[in-house]
Amino acid sequence: MPKRTSLFDAHVTANARMVDFGGWDMPINYGSQIEEHHAVRQGAGMFDVSHMTVVDIQGPRSRGFLSYLLANDVAKLKTPGRALYSCMLNEQGGVLDDLITYYLDESCFRLVVNAATREKDLGWIELQAQAFDIAVLERSELAMIAIQGPLARQVVLDWLPGDQVSEVEELRPFCAAQLGELFIARTGYTGEDGFEVSLSPELATIFWNYCLDAGVAPCGLGARDTLRLEAGMNLYTQDMDEHVTPLESGLSWTVALDDERAFIGRDALQQQIVAGIDRKLVGLVLQGRGVLRPGQRVVTTSGDGVITSGSFSPTLQRAVGLARIPQKAMHNCQVDIRDKLFDCNIVRPPFVRNGGVCEGIL
Amino acid sequence: MSDIPSQLRYSDAHDWISIEENGRARIGISDHAQQELGDLVYVELPTIGDEFSQGDSCAVVESVKAASDIYTPVSGKVTAINEDLDADPSIINSDPYGGGWLFEIELSDDSELGGLLDAEAYTALLDV
């Protein structure tokens, strides 16, 4: 029996089609995932992301611990409220998970990791924490709602009590604030502006219903996937896993190798750099009609690759994908769809940001 | 709840079949099938004149979510395809039994119709 979030009844009331996602009974759509996708690009949409795993790292040595645990460097988190995207690697440099770290204060950092990798992540974090005097506290009591789109911030600002508005209004991208029992972060997984709000289940239901009345479209995992794909954001297990490093997953920018900081996986990454990185993760845009899908073979003049994520892009009105291909492959390739080869352009993600198609995509 | 018109025949692969006035079979996917697939974004139809045996893969419908093969529920020669779907596959979502038809076949073996489900049997199949 899959787990239910505190908003399960709200989903059923809104006619959601529910699916099992990583052990959770989650909405895939509320009718049309394409309409939900457009709502986020053009107005505001909301997602129940309460299934995500929230873990607080507590104690005076929290920063030192995360400095060792993560491939990105928490030293970049200089002011409380700042957030940092990072991979968590194994000793071989393989990606155990990707996550966001929020710097709350010097004795508390909040991690948000994937739902499907919860047990593996918690086990790994607790194992590594043994050498540090820190506490690992899962916050499974929290619900989380992502509200995204050009109109999303205003809806949240209108909902907040007057004395909290200015602090949230001033939040910059990739920053968060704790306001009483509300934790509000200006982050997301769609390529649009908006907030991710962590709150109690009781307040989550109130907030969800307020947003519904304000015209925010409830959106399911289907739209979440096409939105993040257009935004060029990796999905763990699909675009990367323990068998690839961030350097072959389009995530070199998240690996901080500038100084001598010791972190798990560093030696393996440096060996890979010396040996040469054979593969890269790129964006593909299908030139004709059809749909790109994970697993399809990519044919390039430098050898074959594979599509890791692919779908129909509602914004571009054509198929796009992420693919892992030989490092030397450039400009064009072909994709094998049902034993026929179709031309694709090789592009640099993202495909779409803030409602518009990025330069060089079409 | 999905719509299951009583005058149509169905296959257990969630296709519908109607016998047109010219005696040809018109084929599409059921309301249940379009709901399961979600928003349709691409359709690959057979070519007029192609001949298929019952159960052959003869078309592909793709939603945002997944690609799905269409296996013809009857044998015969393709006499018409729904070219409107090229420009707008979402007609299948909005009107699966009308404007969302896929192709027509000239039956080569009328007896195959006897093996298809009526609306009552198809309803029972969905209720399982």
Short mmCIF file of all heavy atoms in Angstrom, two decimals, chain A residues 1-12 16-30 48-51 115 220-221:
data_model
loop_
_atom_site.label_atom_id
_atom_site.label_comp_id
_atom_site.label_asym_id
_atom_site.label_seq_id
_atom_site.Cartn_x
_atom_site.Cartn_y
_atom_site.Cartn_z
N MET A 1 0.86 -1.21 0.00
CA MET A 1 0.00 0.00 0.00
C MET A 1 0.89 1.25 0.00
O MET A 1 1.64 1.48 0.95
CB MET A 1 -0.89 -0.03 1.25
CG MET A 1 -1.77 1.19 1.41
SD MET A 1 -3.33 1.06 0.52
CE MET A 1 -4.09 2.61 1.00
N PRO A 2 0.83 2.03 -1.07
CA PRO A 2 1.68 3.23 -1.11
C PRO A 2 1.28 4.26 -0.05
O PRO A 2 0.13 4.31 0.38
CB PRO A 2 1.45 3.79 -2.52
CG PRO A 2 0.30 3.08 -3.09
CD PRO A 2 0.01 1.87 -2.27
N LYS A 3 2.25 5.07 0.34
CA LYS A 3 2.01 6.11 1.34
C LYS A 3 1.22 7.27 0.73
O LYS A 3 1.28 7.50 -0.47
CB LYS A 3 3.35 6.62 1.88
CG LYS A 3 4.05 5.64 2.79
CD LYS A 3 5.35 6.20 3.32
CE LYS A 3 6.46 6.02 2.32
NZ LYS A 3 7.79 6.31 2.84
N ARG A 4 0.50 7.96 1.58
CA ARG A 4 -0.28 9.12 1.12
C ARG A 4 0.24 10.38 1.79
O ARG A 4 0.56 10.36 2.98
CB ARG A 4 -1.76 8.93 1.49
CG ARG A 4 -2.40 7.80 0.72
CD ARG A 4 -3.84 7.60 1.15
NE ARG A 4 -4.48 6.62 0.28
CZ ARG A 4 -5.74 6.25 0.39
NH1 ARG A 4 -6.50 6.77 1.33
NH2 ARG A 4 -6.25 5.37 -0.45
N THR A 5 0.26 11.46 1.03
CA THR A 5 0.61 12.74 1.64
C THR A 5 -0.63 13.32 2.31
O THR A 5 -1.75 12.84 2.09
CB THR A 5 1.12 13.76 0.60
OG1 THR A 5 0.00 14.23 -0.15
CG2 THR A 5 2.15 13.14 -0.34
N SER A 6 -0.44 14.35 3.10
CA SER A 6 -1.58 14.94 3.81
C SER A 6 -2.57 15.59 2.85
O SER A 6 -3.68 15.91 3.24
CB SER A 6 -1.07 15.97 4.82
OG SER A 6 -0.35 16.99 4.17
N LEU A 7 -2.16 15.78 1.59
CA LEU A 7 -3.05 16.42 0.62
C LEU A 7 -3.79 15.40 -0.25
O LEU A 7 -4.45 15.77 -1.23
CB LEU A 7 -2.24 17.38 -0.28
CG LEU A 7 -1.71 18.62 0.45
CD1 LEU A 7 -0.65 19.32 -0.38
CD2 LEU A 7 -2.85 19.57 0.77
N PHE A 8 -3.71 14.12 0.11
CA PHE A 8 -4.33 13.08 -0.71
C PHE A 8 -5.81 13.37 -1.00
O PHE A 8 -6.26 13.30 -2.14
CB PHE A 8 -4.20 11.71 -0.02
CG PHE A 8 -4.86 10.59 -0.77
CD1 PHE A 8 -4.19 9.95 -1.81
CD2 PHE A 8 -6.15 10.18 -0.46
CE1 PHE A 8 -4.80 8.92 -2.52
CE2 PHE A 8 -6.77 9.17 -1.18
CZ PHE A 8 -6.09 8.53 -2.20
N ASP A 9 -6.56 13.72 0.04
CA ASP A 9 -7.99 13.98 -0.17
C ASP A 9 -8.22 15.17 -1.11
O ASP A 9 -9.15 15.16 -1.92
CB ASP A 9 -8.69 14.25 1.17
CG ASP A 9 -8.78 12.99 2.03
OD1 ASP A 9 -8.60 11.89 1.46
OD2 ASP A 9 -9.01 13.11 3.24
N ALA A 10 -7.36 16.16 -1.00
CA ALA A 10 -7.47 17.33 -1.88
C ALA A 10 -7.25 16.91 -3.34
O ALA A 10 -7.90 17.42 -4.25
CB ALA A 10 -6.45 18.40 -1.48
N HIS A 11 -6.33 15.97 -3.56
CA HIS A 11 -6.08 15.50 -4.93
C HIS A 11 -7.30 14.77 -5.48
O HIS A 11 -7.70 14.98 -6.63
CB HIS A 11 -4.86 14.58 -4.98
CG HIS A 11 -3.61 15.22 -4.49
ND1 HIS A 11 -3.29 16.52 -4.81
CD2 HIS A 11 -2.60 14.77 -3.71
CE1 HIS A 11 -2.14 16.83 -4.22
NE2 HIS A 11 -1.70 15.80 -3.55
N VAL A 12 -7.86 13.90 -4.65
CA VAL A 12 -9.02 13.13 -5.09
C VAL A 12 -10.18 14.08 -5.41
O VAL A 12 -10.85 13.95 -6.43
CB VAL A 12 -9.42 12.09 -4.02
CG1 VAL A 12 -10.73 11.41 -4.39
CG2 VAL A 12 -8.30 11.06 -3.85
N ALA A 16 -7.81 14.03 -9.44
CA ALA A 16 -6.48 13.60 -9.84
C ALA A 16 -6.49 12.14 -10.25
O ALA A 16 -7.23 11.33 -9.69
CB ALA A 16 -5.50 13.81 -8.70
N ARG A 17 -5.66 11.82 -11.25
CA ARG A 17 -5.33 10.41 -11.53
C ARG A 17 -4.10 10.10 -10.69
O ARG A 17 -3.07 10.76 -10.84
CB ARG A 17 -5.01 10.19 -13.00
CG ARG A 17 -6.19 10.40 -13.92
CD ARG A 17 -5.78 10.17 -15.36
NE ARG A 17 -5.53 8.77 -15.64
CZ ARG A 17 -6.49 7.88 -15.88
NH1 ARG A 17 -7.75 8.24 -15.84
NH2 ARG A 17 -6.19 6.63 -16.16
N MET A 18 -4.22 9.12 -9.81
CA MET A 18 -3.12 8.83 -8.89
C MET A 18 -2.27 7.68 -9.40
O MET A 18 -2.77 6.74 -10.01
CB MET A 18 -3.68 8.49 -7.51
CG MET A 18 -4.65 9.53 -6.93
SD MET A 18 -3.92 11.17 -6.64
CE MET A 18 -2.91 10.83 -5.18
N VAL A 19 -0.96 7.77 -9.16
CA VAL A 19 -0.04 6.68 -9.52
C VAL A 19 0.91 6.43 -8.35
O VAL A 19 1.12 7.30 -7.50
CB VAL A 19 0.80 7.01 -10.77
CG1 VAL A 19 -0.08 7.08 -12.01
CG2 VAL A 19 1.60 8.30 -10.59
N ASP A 20 1.51 5.24 -8.36
CA ASP A 20 2.53 4.92 -7.36
C ASP A 20 3.85 5.50 -7.83
O ASP A 20 4.34 5.15 -8.90
CB ASP A 20 2.62 3.40 -7.20
CG ASP A 20 3.56 2.99 -6.06
OD1 ASP A 20 4.41 3.82 -5.66
OD2 ASP A 20 3.45 1.85 -5.59
N PHE A 21 4.41 6.42 -7.07
CA PHE A 21 5.67 7.04 -7.42
C PHE A 21 6.62 6.88 -6.23
O PHE A 21 6.44 7.53 -5.20
CB PHE A 21 5.46 8.51 -7.77
CG PHE A 21 6.73 9.25 -8.12
CD1 PHE A 21 7.30 9.12 -9.37
CD2 PHE A 21 7.36 10.05 -7.18
CE1 PHE A 21 8.48 9.78 -9.69
CE2 PHE A 21 8.54 10.72 -7.49
CZ PHE A 21 9.09 10.57 -8.75
N GLY A 22 7.59 6.00 -6.38
CA GLY A 22 8.58 5.79 -5.31
C GLY A 22 7.92 5.43 -3.98
O GLY A 22 8.38 5.87 -2.93
N GLY A 23 6.85 4.65 -4.05
CA GLY A 23 6.19 4.24 -2.81
C GLY A 23 5.15 5.22 -2.31
O GLY A 23 4.60 5.04 -1.23
N TRP A 24 4.89 6.26 -3.09
CA TRP A 24 3.89 7.26 -2.71
C TRP A 24 2.76 7.28 -3.73
O TRP A 24 3.01 7.17 -4.93
CB TRP A 24 4.52 8.66 -2.66
CG TRP A 24 5.45 8.84 -1.52
CD1 TRP A 24 6.78 8.53 -1.50
CD2 TRP A 24 5.14 9.38 -0.23
NE1 TRP A 24 7.31 8.84 -0.28
CE2 TRP A 24 6.33 9.37 0.53
CE3 TRP A 24 3.98 9.88 0.36
CZ2 TRP A 24 6.39 9.83 1.84
CZ3 TRP A 24 4.03 10.34 1.66
CH2 TRP A 24 5.23 10.31 2.39
N ASP A 25 1.56 7.45 -3.24
CA ASP A 25 0.38 7.58 -4.10
C ASP A 25 0.27 9.05 -4.49
O ASP A 25 -0.12 9.87 -3.68
CB ASP A 25 -0.85 7.13 -3.29
CG ASP A 25 -1.94 6.58 -4.17
OD1 ASP A 25 -1.76 6.56 -5.40
OD2 ASP A 25 -2.97 6.16 -3.62
N MET A 26 0.69 9.37 -5.72
CA MET A 26 0.81 10.78 -6.11
C MET A 26 -0.02 11.08 -7.35
O MET A 26 -0.22 10.21 -8.20
CB MET A 26 2.28 11.11 -6.40
CG MET A 26 3.22 10.94 -5.23
SD MET A 26 2.81 11.98 -3.81
CE MET A 26 3.29 13.60 -4.38
N PRO A 27 -0.45 12.35 -7.50
CA PRO A 27 -1.20 12.71 -8.71
C PRO A 27 -0.29 12.76 -9.94
O PRO A 27 0.78 13.37 -9.89
CB PRO A 27 -1.74 14.11 -8.39
CG PRO A 27 -0.91 14.62 -7.27
CD PRO A 27 -0.33 13.45 -6.55
N ILE A 28 -0.70 12.11 -11.02
CA ILE A 28 0.06 12.21 -12.29
C ILE A 28 -0.50 13.38 -13.11
O ILE A 28 0.25 14.10 -13.75
CB ILE A 28 0.02 10.87 -13.08
CG1 ILE A 28 0.83 10.94 -14.38
CG2 ILE A 28 -1.37 10.40 -13.41
CD1 ILE A 28 2.28 10.63 -14.21
N ASN A 29 -1.81 13.56 -13.07
CA ASN A 29 -2.41 14.77 -13.64
C ASN A 29 -3.82 14.93 -13.07
O ASN A 29 -4.33 14.04 -12.40
CB ASN A 29 -2.43 14.72 -15.18
CG ASN A 29 -3.29 13.60 -15.71
OD1 ASN A 29 -4.48 13.52 -15.40
ND2 ASN A 29 -2.72 12.70 -16.49
N TYR A 30 -4.41 16.09 -13.35
CA TYR A 30 -5.77 16.38 -12.91
C TYR A 30 -6.68 16.54 -14.13
O TYR A 30 -7.63 17.31 -14.10
CB TYR A 30 -5.80 17.64 -12.05
CG TYR A 30 -4.95 17.58 -10.80
CD1 TYR A 30 -3.57 17.79 -10.89
CD2 TYR A 30 -5.51 17.32 -9.56
CE1 TYR A 30 -2.78 17.75 -9.75
CE2 TYR A 30 -4.72 17.28 -8.41
CZ TYR A 30 -3.35 17.49 -8.52
OH TYR A 30 -2.57 17.45 -7.41
N ASP A 48 2.04 19.15 -5.15
CA ASP A 48 2.27 18.56 -3.83
C ASP A 48 3.60 17.81 -3.91
O ASP A 48 3.73 16.82 -4.63
CB ASP A 48 1.13 17.58 -3.51
CG ASP A 48 1.34 16.88 -2.17
OD1 ASP A 48 2.24 17.28 -1.41
OD2 ASP A 48 0.58 15.92 -1.91
N VAL A 49 4.60 18.32 -3.21
CA VAL A 49 5.90 17.64 -3.21
C VAL A 49 6.24 17.17 -1.78
O VAL A 49 7.40 17.09 -1.40
CB VAL A 49 7.02 18.51 -3.81
CG1 VAL A 49 6.86 18.58 -5.31
CG2 VAL A 49 7.04 19.92 -3.24
N SER A 50 5.19 16.84 -1.04
CA SER A 50 5.38 16.38 0.34
C SER A 50 6.11 15.05 0.42
O SER A 50 6.58 14.66 1.49
CB SER A 50 4.02 16.22 1.03
OG SER A 50 3.28 17.42 0.94
N HIS A 51 6.17 14.34 -0.71
CA HIS A 51 6.89 13.06 -0.71
C HIS A 51 8.41 13.24 -0.66
O HIS A 51 9.13 12.33 -0.31
CB HIS A 51 6.51 12.24 -1.94
CG HIS A 51 6.87 12.89 -3.25
ND1 HIS A 51 6.42 14.15 -3.59
CD2 HIS A 51 7.63 12.48 -4.28
CE1 HIS A 51 6.89 14.46 -4.77
NE2 HIS A 51 7.63 13.48 -5.22
N ALA A 115 12.56 11.46 -3.06
CA ALA A 115 11.72 10.53 -2.32
C ALA A 115 12.14 9.08 -2.58
O ALA A 115 12.23 8.27 -1.66
CB ALA A 115 10.26 10.73 -2.71
N GLY A 220 0.27 17.80 -11.69
CA GLY A 220 0.76 16.49 -11.27
C GLY A 220 2.18 16.21 -11.71
O GLY A 220 2.86 17.07 -12.28
N LEU A 221 2.60 14.98 -11.47
CA LEU A 221 3.97 14.58 -11.79
C LEU A 221 4.24 14.63 -13.29
O LEU A 221 5.38 14.80 -13.72
CB LEU A 221 4.23 13.16 -11.27
CG LEU A 221 4.23 13.00 -9.75
CD1 LEU A 221 4.27 11.51 -9.39
CD2 LEU A 221 5.43 13.72 -9.14
#
